[in-house]
Amino acid sequence: MLYYLIALLVIALDQLTKWVVATKMKIGESITIIPNVLYITSHRNRGAAWGILQGQFWLFYLITIIVVIGLVVYIQRLPRQERLFGVALGLMLGGAIGNFIDRLIRKEVVDFIHTYIGTYNFPIFNIADSALCIGVALVFLQTFMMGAKEKENG
């Protein structure tokens, strides 16, 4: 149940922040949080990460439905001791559903977290994207830790 609560929290935070940006800011408008590092910039994306596959909604719908079903099945079968993995799956589930809601209702994804890493202008993203990336990173971390433990015991 905890992992579904994590997913719900991600979805709620994602949708609330997107609603604020979509209703209070004009597209392209930017608010400086940390100069030359972090901005809130109202942006829309009709594709996937970095704007690839623009307008391919049915592809996104199909992939997201398959991913969500897979995540739910995996969460249901997850042993209790696999908490880090469960948190990762909950984050990924919330992120996938958060962006799915945008594509379904708005026909575009609201992005607004705008960062610069040195001189690199990182593509604008949102809470759902962050949850997905953190979830994937945690899966890699868990897999690495399990591999190291097996090697140690091997």
Side-chain angles (χ1 to χ4, degrees):
M1 194 66 180
L2 170 66
Y3 311 131
Y4 295 115
L5 289 175
I6 290 170
L8 283 173
L9 180 63
V10 168
I11 294 165
L13 185 59
D14 178 64
Q15 290 300 303
L16 175 65
T17 54
K18 288 173 177 175
W19 176 81
V20 169
V21 168
T23 60
K24 304 296 182 191
M25 296 178 71
K26 295 177 185 166
I27 295 175
E29 184 179 352
S30 190
I31 300 169
T32 303
I33 306 299
I34 302 172
N36 300 316
V37 176
L38 180 62
Y39 301 83
I40 302 298
T41 301
S42 180
H43 179 73
R44 303 300 180 274
N45 184 354
R46 298 183 131 238
W50 293 279
I52 62 172
L53 300 172
Q54 291 286 323
Q56 301 296 317
F57 293 111
W58 290 108
L59 177 64
F60 293 125
Y61 296 155
L62 179 63
I63 289 171
T64 304
I65 289 167
I66 292 168
V67 167
V68 166
I69 290 169
L71 288 168
V72 169
V73 167
Y74 212 107
I75 288 171
Q76 291 301 117
R77 295 180 180 176
L78 194 65
R80 288 208 184 279
Q81 67 271 19
E82 297 289 338
R83 289 186 183 222
L84 180 61
F85 206 63
V87 168
L89 297 175
L91 289 168
M92 292 165 60
L93 181 62
I97 292 172
N99 280 338
F100 182 76
I101 291 169
D102 273 22
R103 288 189 178 102
L104 194 62
I105 294 172
R106 292 187 173 99
K107 304 295 185 223
E108 61 188 4
V109 175
V110 176
D111 291 326
F112 59 90
I113 302 170
H114 190 184
T115 60
Y116 287 84
I117 300 171
T119 58
Y120 180 67
N121 181 4
F122 198 79
I124 302 171
F125 58 99
N126 59 46
I127 301 294
D129 298 333
S130 299
L132 281 163
C133 289
I134 293 168
V136 168
L138 289 174
V139 166
F140 281 122
L141 178 64
Q142 177 72 17
T143 303
F144 176 75
M145 291 185 335
M146 286 172 39
K149 188 174 181 179
E150 285 176 12
K151 192 173 186 179
E152 184 179 292
N153 294 334

